[in-house]
Amino acid sequence: MNYKDNDRYQIGIKMMQEKYEQSVIDSIDKTLYEFSPELADLVVSHGMAEVWGEKTSSIALKDKELLIAATLIAQGGCNEEFEGHIYNSLKVGNSKQQIKDLLTLLTLYVGVPKVLEKLPHVIKAFKKSDESK
């Protein structure tokens, strides 16, 4: 089955193009799809089109990015994805101060070590954002 012909897959790719760099889209639409079309379809059609788009439409994109960043800090790991969401958070209109405030707030709920573990990735995302302007 060619999932790329599915309307929902196309909607998911379009949503990704609005917020991600082409290299991120390629890693899913090309690399992941080549490895497992079913897994790529799950990420694009279900994750992006259905969950990010349809089922959570009352949450602003700016807020979604902060929520995802907070969740990735709380769970730990996923450093590349976390860094990408911090970069995207800036790209969709959140400020560096909002992200710093998020980190400060999360020290109370997930602990200082988990927050500090992500600091190098925040700094890299800030730098990348500055360089892209």
Side-chain angles (χ1 to χ4, degrees), residues 22-41:
Q22 190 60 45
S23 63
V24 174
I25 297 164
D26 289 346
S27 72
I28 294 169
D29 191 37
K30 292 180 182 169
T31 308
L32 182 59
Y33 196 93
E34 184 178 295
F35 175 75
S36 172
E38 295 80 10
L39 185 55
D41 181 58

Side-chain angles (χ1 to χ4, degrees), residues 9-26:
Y9 190 93
Q10 292 303 314
I11 291 167
I13 290 295
K14 184 176 181 192
M15 290 179 68
M16 292 174 71
Q17 290 168 336
E18 292 172 3
K19 65 187 215 105
Y20 294 131
E21 295 178 304
Q22 190 60 45
S23 63
V24 174
I25 297 164
D26 289 346

